[in-house]
Amino acid sequence: MTTIIDVSSSCGSRASALAAAGIRTVIRYYSRDTIRPSKRLTQNEAVQLASSGLRLGIVHEGRFGDSVANFDRACGVADALYARNYGARVIGQPAASAIYFAVDFDATAEEIRTNIIPYFQGIADVFSQATDEPSYVIGIYGSGATCKAVLDAGLAQYAWLAQSVGWSGYTDFHMSNRWALSQEMPTVIAGVACDPNSANDSKMAGDFAVATLEPAEGASTTPETSVPPPVRMRINARVGLRLRSGPGVEFDVLKLLPFGTIVHPLKTVGTWSSIDLQGDGISDGFVSNAYLVDVAQPSVTQGTTPSPNADAIHVAELIRQGSSEEGLKVAREKAAASLPGYPTNGCAAHLSALLQQSGIDVAMTWGAGKLAQVLIDRGWSRISVGNQKPGDVGVCFDNDPSPAGADHIYLVVGTSGPDEMMIADNQRTVDAPHIRFASGQGKTPTEYFLRAL
């Protein structure tokens, strides 16, 4: 009997039904850059699952987790920073539980060596850092060959074998008994499209129970949170979109969905999504992801636990953009296109571009003080000098308008103690971070830092 499933869409509203069907653990996703909001586990959904006695397992998969281009050390660092922060700050994931990182394609031996191993080295570096966040255990999801290589390198403790029996090393790794979880073919349980999983009786899987708060004496035991409605997307093909019986053009066409049809995505299979047309959690077929666009989600009812600053989940990507040659090059070109005379007085434009590239929806802004106020209005918190960390924004003010750059705003991408930092700004002739000191040392001292908490 299946007791562990993984689900790529919100299923909190079906928690009681899943528990009644014998499910004990639901594996859900963190995702730094997904374009499908339903893929990412929310705090409200975690509470719903926990309230029905279900345990949680966690896997992080990037938007392009099925492409080798998504895997390098920088992406590993960004994904790990995001996942660790999201688990600690949003979900309340306890220490010593696992976060699996998905490699959702059949990587070759060369791709494992040049891309996957560096990716997990980045994750391991982040997870080994002593912070005020819980310490999590690293897991790998992927082919048998990928799982074996990452375990052999000592970069993960748990392995989750993907269901694709044709991927490299499947049989040998399954027979090795080194896996903690083994994924099986998709099914529907209690109205939820999911993948069942077998657990290795000789291994721990890293799942956990979410702590729930006891109500105060005399307080109502009726939950104040509402059940979130199914996530909605809209058909964006002018002539309509074919609904097919499976994830590919080789499958039969079931019907033509007109432009503007509202659908509920359930599960992604490559570049296709299983969709529900009725909102009852049952799949009606598959459509191409390329023709689905988001629809604004209804607000949750009063009484739900407020989310942290919405920009916080993008900070890991902001650090990655500000640390990479490619990200800085794109930011420089955007800033130059918007501001005559760039790079002179272009620090705010440069940072605006980096924020935009990271998914933080700010307008292109000129002026260090103005951009600082934009971030403060968005809920960023002031951090005193000496307590800065990567992802913070440094703000400098000076009443003397010369030299250019006396008023300055920049992104911290690394620190070496309370003063020395690696930063990203407009003051380099090459697209690379450089050293700056919070105390100034020849430049305007930093007055304060801003942080998305």
Side-chain angles (χ1 to χ4, degrees), residues 56-102:
L56 275 171
I58 295 298
V59 57
H60 179 282
E61 182 176 4
R63 178 180 176 185
F64 301 107
D66 58 354
S67 170
V68 68
N70 192 68
F71 295 90
D72 57 26
R73 189 185 182 283
C75 281
V77 168
D79 287 352
L81 285 169
Y82 167 83
R84 190 175 185 182
N85 180 268
Y86 194 80
R89 310 295 184 192
V90 179
I91 303 303
Q93 180 175 346
S97 57
I99 300 177
Y100 290 83
F101 290 83

Side-chain angles (χ1 to χ4, degrees), residues 14 32 60 74 82 121 135 138 197 235 245-246 248 316 361 375:
R14 304 294 297 169
R32 174 172 59 84
H60 179 282
Y82 167 83
Q121 288 170 337
S135 179
I138 300 171
N197 290 269
I235 301 298
S245 60
D361 187 19
L375 296 180

Side-chain angles (χ1 to χ4, degrees), residues 255-313:
K255 61 164 50 174
L256 184 69
L257 302 177
F259 170 78
T261 299
I262 300 299
V263 302
H264 308 286
L266 299 174
K267 177 180 176 64
T268 297
V269 180
T271 59
W272 295 76
S273 282
S274 168
I275 62 165
D276 162 23
L277 296 174
Q278 306 299 323
D280 57 5
I282 299 174
S283 177
D284 291 293
F286 289 81
V287 295
S288 171
N289 294 339
Y291 301 98
L292 295 179
V293 295
D294 286 338
V295 174
Q297 305 302 312
S299 301
V300 296
T301 59
Q302 186 176 5
T304 56
T305 303
S307 298
N309 184 294
D311 293 341
I313 65 171

Side-chain angles (χ1 to χ4, degrees), residues 118-380:
Y119 174 79
F120 276 89
Q121 288 170 337
I123 294 170
D125 287 348
V126 170
F127 275 33
S128 67
Q129 294 173 2
T131 71
D132 61 348
E133 295 168 344
S135 179
Y136 299 124
V137 179
I138 300 171
I140 163 67
Y141 168 94
S143 70
T146 300
C147 288
K148 179 180 184 300
V150 174
L151 289 182
D152 287 349
L155 297 173
Q157 184 171 332
Y158 299 134
W160 179 10
L161 182 60
Q163 65 191 209
S164 301
V165 298
W167 283 6
S168 304
Y170 179 91
T171 300
D172 287 346
F173 190 74
H174 197 277
M175 292 179 63
S176 75
N177 209 38
R178 298 178 72 187
W179 50 273
L181 294 167
S182 179
Q183 191 179 50
E184 299 170 8
M185 297 306 292
T187 188
V188 175
I189 297 176
V192 176
C194 62
D195 300 316
N197 290 269
S198 297
N200 189 332
D201 291 337
S202 66
K203 306 281 186 182
M204 296 178 64
D207 57 337
F208 59 93
V210 175
T212 55
L213 299 176
E214 294 292 331
E217 185 175 353
S220 170
T221 58
T222 302
E224 293 184 338
T225 55
S226 65
V227 175
V231 170
R232 303 184 302 158
M233 300 190 83
R234 178 171 56 84
I235 301 298
N236 195 37
R238 191 180 302 280
V239 297
L241 184 61
R242 294 179 180 89
L243 178 70
R244 295 184 179 271
S245 60
V249 295
E250 68 272 21
F251 291 92
D252 292 339
V253 176
L254 301 177
K255 61 164 50 174
L256 184 69
L257 302 177
F259 170 78
T261 299
I262 300 299
V263 302
H264 308 286
L266 299 174
K267 177 180 176 64
T268 297
V269 180
T271 59
W272 295 76
S273 282
S274 168
I275 62 165
D276 162 23
L277 296 174
Q278 306 299 323
D280 57 5
I282 299 174
S283 177
D284 291 293
F286 289 81
V287 295
S288 171
N289 294 339
Y291 301 98
L292 295 179
V293 295
D294 286 338
V295 174
Q297 305 302 312
S299 301
V300 296
T301 59
Q302 186 176 5
T304 56
T305 303
S307 298
N309 184 294
D311 293 341
I313 65 171
H314 300 290
V315 169
E317 177 63 14
L318 179 61
I319 296 169
R320 191 180 79 85
Q321 291 287 335
S323 302
S324 69
E325 179 182 358
E326 178 187 3
L328 291 169
K329 179 176 182 292
V330 173
R332 172 175 53 79
E333 291 173 347
K334 281 186 179 180
S338 74
L339 179 64
Y342 178 89
T344 302
N345 295 325
C347 59
H350 189 273
L351 182 55
S352 295
L354 285 174
L355 292 163
Q356 292 169 3
Q357 290 162 214
S358 306
I360 298 173
D361 187 19
V362 299
M364 181 60 70
T365 304
W366 301 349
K370 185 174 181 180
L371 181 55
Q373 189 59 54
V374 167
L375 296 180
I376 291 169
D377 290 344
R378 293 177 67 88
W380 288 50

